[in-house]
Amino acid sequence: MSPKPDSGKTPADLTLKQVAKKTKLVTQEIVSAEDELTVAHAVLDKHLPDNASEADVRQAVLATERVKKRLKKSVKELETVQASLDKSVAAKTDPAS
């Protein structure tokens, strides 16, 4: 599960260590989501044989919806990480700092 940003800090205030940790956690979340989608796809890829139950299809659809929500959350986490990296790069390349 992705960590919550430190209270009182904006996304751009994360340390490089925090950014690295968040990136690793988000990557793990994306890999896990991919695994879940693979399972759901396998169920749906059967082209719904005559013996497929409505419950199986409904469960596969619900699984993909859960994964979609997790991936949206992961995208937000990556945007936070990117903002921190952008700030860090700007600070290191800005001659006024």
Side-chain angles (χ1 to χ4, degrees), residues 23-57:
T23 300
K24 189 175 201 176
L25 291 172
V26 171
T27 300
Q28 290 170 347
E29 181 68 22
I30 290 170
V31 168
S32 175
E34 177 189 26
D35 291 343
E36 286 187 38
L37 281 176
T38 299
V39 171
H41 183 273
V43 170
L44 295 173
D45 195 39
K46 293 179 184 178
H47 302 292
L48 303 176
D50 292 338
N51 63 348
S53 72
E54 187 176 322
D56 289 340
V57 174

